[in-house]
Amino acid sequence: MTSSTPRLVFLLNAAQRRLQQLVTAEQLRLTTQALDAPTPAQGGLLFALHTLDGQTMGELSLALDLAPSAVTGLVQRTESQGWVIRATGDQDGRTQRVWLQPAGRALIPHLRGALKRINSRITHGFTPEELAVVGRWLGHVQQCGNPPETP
């Protein structure tokens, strides 16, 4: 590795920590507005359902890039807040679909505002072309999947 090669793993981890700080600040902002602020994962679930309501747990697992067991817990916690509800599918009694409730739908504009503020801060000073490259690279990293098996 040459000295001009960016320390991508370090930079990505450090950036994730800073991003989490921004998200936490936005959660606090929502809380001061007398709103129950969803966690980032809960916000992702609400956005996924706002885009396509009534998704199955499997569909949500793919949409959120989470293990099915993680989606189950996430839906349970979000359901306990009254933001979503699970119901058995019409065609198959084993399939559960998740539906956005009015309380969850009411959070969407607030979450959009929070994302707009975060995106404005993290993209400031970059051209659309530069951001396209960053987006492409992050998508590539996401698609890399599991590390290769070691012998």
Side-chain angles (χ1 to χ4, degrees):
M1 178 157 89
T2 66
S3 61
S4 65
T5 303
R7 300 181 315 165
L8 295 175
V9 173
F10 168 77
L11 291 171
L12 189 57
N13 281 319
Q16 196 282 328
R17 286 191 303 274
R18 298 303 183 270
L19 180 60
Q20 187 57 47
Q21 290 171 348
L22 291 171
V23 169
T24 300
E26 287 297 329
Q27 283 180 292
L28 182 59
R29 178 193 296 248
L30 292 178
T31 302
T32 60
Q33 295 174 5
L35 295 169
D36 285 329
T39 66
Q42 289 172 330
L45 174 64
L46 297 178
F47 277 127
L49 293 172
H50 184 71
T51 300
L52 180 62
D53 208 4
Q55 293 185 58
T56 66
M57 300 289 267
E59 290 167 338
L60 288 168
S61 177
L62 291 172
L64 299 172
D65 195 20
L66 294 173
S69 59
V71 171
T72 299
L74 175 62
V75 169
Q76 288 172 344
R77 290 185 302 277
T78 309
E79 188 175 34
S80 73
Q81 294 287 331
W83 298 331
V84 302
I85 191 166
R86 286 178 287 174
T88 304
D90 294 336
Q91 305 296 328
D92 183 352
R94 297 169 295 175
T95 301
Q96 289 190 337
R97 293 194 174 273
V98 183
W99 302 92
L100 191 57
Q101 294 298 289
R105 193 173 308 282
L107 290 171
I108 296 294
H110 301 285
L111 295 172
R112 279 197 177 123
L115 281 177
K116 185 177 180 178
R117 287 186 292 275
I118 291 169
N119 280 326
S120 178
R121 289 203 52 193
I122 66 175
T123 61
H124 179 76
F126 289 88
T127 67
E129 294 79 15
E130 289 171 321
L131 293 172
V133 171
V134 171
R136 188 171 67 85
W137 180 75
L138 290 171
H140 169 75
V141 171
Q142 183 184 21
Q143 296 303 315
C144 286
N146 296 325
E149 291 183 24
T150 55

